[in-house]
Amino acid sequence: EVQLVESGGGLVQPGGSLRLSCATSGFIFSMSAMHWVRQAPGKGLEWVSAINSGGSTTSYVDSVKGRFTISRDNAKNTLFLQMNSLKPEDTAVYYCAKDGSSWPGYGMDSWGNGTLVAVSS
């Protein structure tokens, strides 16, 4: 059974930082591209970032470029999202998702339950 468990969310002031983690099991993590997706209160899902299976290629939505960094530790089956210079508009539930291929774009086929990030003074 595929399992994705996010952690690291919380309340942070504008300009602050958080590091999200996604612990995975039940599939060959090193062969799957991975994504972070978020959902702000009252809004739809927004794709945030993706990384290929080997970690050599990353992509970001424009609104987080230069502030967020996606990474992975294939030895520990864990995905990360380092979030710096956080803004109130980053407030959302953040989900990690597994892609059906080693490169992003095939489609997300498994999701975690999410972790809440709240940016407020």
Side-chain angles (χ1 to χ4, degrees), residues 46-81:
E46 178 185 38
W47 172 82
V48 174
S49 183
I51 188 168
N52 72 319
S53 60
S56 60
T57 302
T58 59
S59 55
Y60 302 90
V61 67
D62 285 348
S63 60
V64 309
K65 284 181 180 176
R67 300 189 298 122
F68 290 12
T69 303
I70 189 171
S71 63
R72 63 192 296 158
D73 184 338
N74 283 350
K76 296 184 178 180
N77 297 333
T78 304
L79 177 72
F80 302 101
L81 185 67

Side-chain angles (χ1 to χ4, degrees), residues 27-104:
F27 66 103
I28 304 174
F29 180 73
S30 61
M31 294 182 66
S32 294
M34 297 293 295
H35 303 261
W36 287 100
V37 179
R38 66 186 179 185
Q39 185 169 28
K43 297 190 176 180
L45 291 170
E46 178 185 38
W47 172 82
V48 174
S49 183
I51 188 168
N52 72 319
S53 60
S56 60
T57 302
T58 59
S59 55
Y60 302 90
V61 67
D62 285 348
S63 60
V64 309
K65 284 181 180 176
R67 300 189 298 122
F68 290 12
T69 303
I70 189 171
S71 63
R72 63 192 296 158
D73 184 338
N74 283 350
K76 296 184 178 180
N77 297 333
T78 304
L79 177 72
F80 302 101
L81 185 67
Q82 178 66 45
M83 305 186 296
N84 298 329
S85 302
L86 283 161
K87 304 176 181 180
E89 51 263 43
D90 294 318
T91 295
V93 176
Y94 284 72
Y95 301 92
C96 68
K98 170 186 168 293
D99 199 284
S101 176
S102 60
W103 289 90

